[in-house]
Amino acid sequence: MKKVVWGLVLLLVVLHQDIWNWDNDRLVFGFLPVTLAYHAGLSIAASVVWLIAATTAWPIQDDDDSVNDATSEVAR
Amino acid sequence: MSPGMIKVTIIGVYLGLLLALGLFSSRLFKGTSKDYLLASHSIGPFLLLMSLFGTTMTGFALVGSTGEAFAEGVGVYGMLASSSGIIHSLCFFVLGVKLWSWGKKYGYTTQAGFFRDRLDSDKIGLVLFPILVGLVVPYLLVGVISAGKAIEGATRGDFPGLTESGAIPPWLTELVICVVVLVYVFFGGMRGTAWANTFQTIVFMVLGVVAFYLIATGLAAKSVADGRAHQTTDGQRVVRTEPPTGLWDSLHIVSQEIPKARRVRDQVTPEDQIESVEAPPQFRTRERMDPWMFFTYMLIPFSVGMFPHLFQHWLTAKSGSAFKLPVVAHPVFILIVWIPCVLIGVWATSGLINIPPPIAGDPNKVLGFMVKSLSGDVLGGFLLAGILAAIMSSLDSQFLCIGTMFTTDVVVHYGGKDRFSDKQIITISRLFIIAIVAVTYFLSLTDIAQTRVFQLGIWCFSGFSSLFPLVLLAVYWRGLSKWGAYAGVLTAAGVWYALFAASEFGAIENWSVDFTIGERTIHTMPVATIFFASLVATVVVSLVTPKPSAETLAKFFPETT
């Protein structure tokens, strides 16, 4: 699943370079410039990708949540 | 009560609430330096989300994005906001969680502490400390200057006699902001900062949406009343006379005017404007942007990976799972704040509202001016409080992290950890914070304050971004050596300074590093050159120099040892 997540992140980066929208001055819904609407959609897509990452490819085990707290001694 | 006094009173009450929150959180203070600096690792998912988001969204996000959209058009969202949604969460995901687990396990409070351990190098802290502090100070300046400009733009004409423009002078706003943040950081420490960040993030997000509604509907109503709005009837563009019927209708009225830049419309008489002036659509496309500049802008958000104040916030997390909510919600939160600001900025370019030359000449003042022009005095006061909330929610973390770095990386590390009591450590931290705030405040009174906030922020972020390869390699590459780290940091610092100087210290707007291939010239953001120079130096020098000890590698990479 990790490979799928990294593939999706890479896809987001590629989609971010939307040169096909460069000169498009159409208004979406009659008020939102298309380049702004496209990148707003990309922000939502990013949240979805990170939701998939958080639920399927979290970088540490749940057990690691309870790692020993050394800062009580050091705090520095 | 005069309009100016109404705004000042509302802002005063808001600042008072913040002080009360800081003082209240101090009642939970356990008296230890760990609690003061890291809130005893007690911050859960919601507080972590709000404090991380509030910290990354500063005056740069509100005042700067509106001003830059006014100057450059809607492309500013894609340039920084949507890319940040991808990259910031990536940094939280690949760096934040790992560093949190090591920080809690091995007792780190600062980046220098981690790098010293990871690289078996005591001196790396001496190299990193001045560079990180040197980069945080301009970041602080961005916030302080934004506050001064926003309030100046919003109170223009309210206080005749006080200044030439009748506005609250920036120096006064900046002084008040510095003192208020200083006080609640002083008493509340990291817990107070996290609480204040959460409170302020909610305030600026809610008030941002309210501001958007008021400005959209107010601008539409005003433009119809002034005979400046148009509609298409039977294929003909005609002046609209019916008032707007709600938010949706207002959005249509004001957004249709985006491509008709005021600067062009000013040159013809009103009766000729609708039919004869079709200004370039640059403000609703990215015509003015270079595709390579846009592409290389994507490296700027990597700065989040090396912000010292975010490192400290990461360490406050209660558990690794607490990061999940910030990772997922961050991109959508950015959208909620940036889309309204960018739209307000491009609406200001249209012929619907007269932006006076002093405001148009200083884009940082555009948001404040729009708020003042299109909302009542009471709501205007609340909206100004929202702008200040966004700014202060970053300043507090930066103030605290500066004090933490000084006490941890310099005083305690070189003075000896048993030499100072917890109380003395906290006192030293507070004194250093005062010194840095004083330096920042005086810098804000110099000519640097005349630089566009956005430009200053970009240079500051470029510096942090260029250190991203170092932290990424430290977390995931066993082959990183201390000499590689030195090479990377010094290369980043040297190239950054050389390019910053070449741009006349940010005075040349949109300065780029140009490469000529054949007959074509490619313009790139300076961050690309600094980033890759630093990456290459770190990797190449690491490959040919001794690695950290086996014991150190086993500590950080047990699974591969």
Side-chain angles (χ1 to χ4, degrees):
Chain A
M1 200 58 199
K2 271 187 181 174
K3 286 182 181 170
V4 174
V5 167
W6 288 118
L8 289 171
V9 173
L10 192 62
L11 181 64
L12 286 175
V13 173
V14 172
L15 290 175
H16 186 264
Q17 310 308 315
D18 60 327
I19 49 172
W20 54 90
N21 278 330
W22 217 261
D23 300 327
N24 189 344
D25 67 349
R26 194 165 55 86
L27 292 175
V28 178
F29 305 127
F31 76 92
L32 204 53
V34 69
T35 185
L36 197 55
Y38 177 88
H39 280 274
L42 207 59
S43 294
I44 295 167
S47 267
V48 173
V49 169
W50 289 118
L51 178 63
I52 295 169
T55 50
T56 64
W58 197 240
I60 62 170
Q61 300 295 318
D62 285 346
D63 291 349
D64 292 349
D65 280 1
S66 55
V67 290
N68 292 333
D69 186 353
T71 40
S72 55
E73 291 174 17
V74 188
R76 48 193 70 172
Chain B
M1 194 183 281
S2 69
M5 282 312 294
I6 291 172
K7 290 172 193 162
V8 168
T9 305
I10 292 170
I11 292 170
V13 169
Y14 176 73
L15 296 178
L17 278 175
L18 268 182
L19 291 175
L21 189 71
L23 293 174
F24 176 72
S25 67
S26 73
R27 298 182 63 178
L28 299 177
F29 180 39
K30 296 175 182 172
T32 65
S33 59
K34 177 192 165 193
D35 195 62
Y36 186 78
L37 304 177
L38 296 179
S40 303
H41 302 299
S42 63
I43 303 298
F46 180 69
L47 279 182
L48 190 64
L49 163 68
M50 300 309 262
S51 54
L52 288 179
F53 182 70
T55 301
T56 51
M57 293 297 116
T58 173
F60 189 76
L62 290 178
V63 180
S65 63
T66 305
E68 202 67 8
F70 175 78
E72 304 291 344
V74 293
V76 66
Y77 183 87
M79 233 169 35
L80 265 174
S82 59
S83 57
S84 295
I86 301 167
I87 305 298
H88 287 184
S89 288
L90 177 74
C91 291
F92 300 163
F93 186 76
V94 299
L95 298 177
V97 182
K98 275 272 193 187
L99 290 171
W100 166 82
S101 68
W102 286 339
K104 194 169 180 188
K105 195 171 178 181
Y106 302 128
Y108 307 130
T109 35
T110 65
Q111 290 157 310
F114 162 68
F115 282 112
R116 277 187 180 120
D117 239 18
R118 168 64 184 83
L119 299 170
D120 277 346
S121 169
D122 189 64
K123 303 287 189 298
I124 190 74
L126 281 179
V127 178
L128 273 176
F129 177 78
I131 290 175
L132 292 175
V133 172
L135 287 172
V136 169
V137 169
Y139 195 175
L140 284 169
L141 267 178
V142 169
V144 172
I145 293 168
S146 297
K149 301 260 185 189
I151 299 296
E152 186 187 20
T155 56
R156 203 176 147 80
D158 286 345
F159 297 95
L162 189 61
T163 58
E164 196 178 324
S165 64
I168 294 177
W171 67 264
L172 182 57
T173 304
E174 290 160 3
L175 182 65
V176 171
I177 292 299
C178 285
V179 169
V180 169
V181 176
L182 202 53
V183 168
Y184 77 72
V185 167
F186 235 72
F187 290 102
M190 180 49 97
R191 183 174 287 101
T193 299
W195 285 14
N197 272 351
T198 302
F199 173 60
Q200 302 208 81
T201 304
I202 292 170
V203 166
F204 80 70
M205 288 181 79
V206 170
L207 291 181
V209 172
V210 173
F212 178 70
Y213 174 83
L214 290 174
I215 289 175
T217 53
L219 186 56
K222 187 174 185 304
S223 59
V224 170
D226 293 350
R228 295 182 179 216
H230 80 271
Q231 62 185 22
T232 303
T233 306
D234 298 329
Q236 298 290 312
R237 290 153 64 88
V238 295
V239 173
R240 173 167 171 150
T241 51
E242 302 86 31
T245 55
L247 177 63
W248 190 255
D249 192 28
S250 298
L251 289 173
H252 280 77
I253 292 171
V254 294
S255 290
Q256 284 188 25
E257 300 297 326
I258 288 173
K260 283 166 273 303
R262 191 181 61 80
R263 280 159 273 189
V264 177
R265 295 189 78 180
D266 265 358
Q267 294 164 14
V268 295
T269 56
E271 58 268 23
D272 292 332
Q273 283 182 0
I274 289 176
E275 290 305 324
S276 66
V277 180
E278 192 64 52
Q282 63 201 31
F283 291 103
R284 60 178 177 184
T285 70
R286 280 171 282 170
E287 267 190 4
R288 287 167 63 130
M289 290 181 184
D290 183 287
W292 276 97
M293 291 280 273
F294 184 83
F295 176 60
T296 49
Y297 242 110
M298 201 158 194
L299 291 171
I300 297 279
F302 280 104
S303 52
V304 158
M306 269 304 279
F307 281 162
H309 48 290
L310 271 196
F311 182 91
Q312 198 173 352
H313 269 295
W314 288 340
L315 296 185
T316 65
K318 197 179 198 172
S319 67
S321 305
F323 281 84
K324 288 183 179 176
L325 185 59
V327 164
V328 174
H330 195 80
V332 170
F333 270 39
I334 290 177
L335 180 152
I336 293 169
V337 171
W338 276 70
I339 291 279
C341 288
V342 169
L343 278 175
I344 290 169
V346 288
W347 290 340
T349 66
S350 74
L352 300 179
I353 186 164
N354 286 327
I355 306 289
I359 302 291
D362 188 350
N364 296 327
K365 295 176 182 170
V366 169
L367 181 60
F369 178 80
M370 293 289 273
V371 167
K372 174 183 165 60
S373 305
L374 299 163
S375 62
D377 295 324
V378 175
L379 284 168
F382 279 114
L383 297 177
L384 286 177
I387 293 173
L388 293 183
I391 293 166
M392 290 190 291
S393 66
S394 300
L395 287 179
D396 51 14
S397 304
Q398 293 159 344
F399 284 179
L400 187 64
C401 99
I402 289 251
T404 307
M405 286 161 66
F406 180 68
T407 50
T408 307
D409 299 335
V410 178
V411 177
V412 173
H413 185 76
Y414 292 103
K417 66 179 181 182
D418 298 323
R419 186 171 166 187
F420 302 99
S421 67
D422 258 6
K423 199 174 173 184
Q424 286 173 317
I425 290 172
I426 294 167
T427 304
I428 293 168
S429 173
R430 286 170 169 168
L431 290 174
F432 190 70
I433 291 172
I434 292 176
I436 288 292
V437 172
V439 169
T440 305
Y441 176 69
F442 285 112
L443 281 175
S444 76
L445 303 179
T446 66
D447 288 345
I448 294 170
Q450 302 312 316
T451 307
R452 250 160 68 181
V453 166
F454 203 83
Q455 299 293 333
L456 190 61
I458 288 296
W459 276 102
C460 168
F461 295 169
S462 298
F464 283 116
S465 299
S466 307
L467 297 173
F468 175 82
L470 172 68
V471 67
L472 183 73
L473 295 171
V475 172
Y476 291 100
W477 188 39
R478 293 164 51 90
L480 177 68
S481 74
K482 67 177 178 184
W483 299 111
Y486 285 129
V489 173
L490 294 175
T491 300
V495 177
W496 180 89
Y497 184 80
L499 298 183
F500 192 41
S503 77
E504 294 180 10
F505 300 99
I508 304 175
E509 291 175 5
N510 301 322
W511 190 83
S512 62
V513 176
D514 300 338
F515 299 95
T516 303
I517 301 174
E519 292 184 355
R520 189 177 171 196
T521 300
I522 292 173
H523 307 281
T524 65
M525 290 294 295
V527 66
T529 303
I530 315 168
F531 188 100
F532 286 107
S534 170
L535 175 64
V536 169
T538 309
V539 172
V540 170
V541 175
S542 288
L543 287 173
V544 297
T545 50
K547 307 292 174 280
S549 67
E551 189 189 350
T552 297
L553 291 177
K555 183 175 171 181
F556 291 98
F557 304 98
E559 68 282 359
T560 55
T561 304

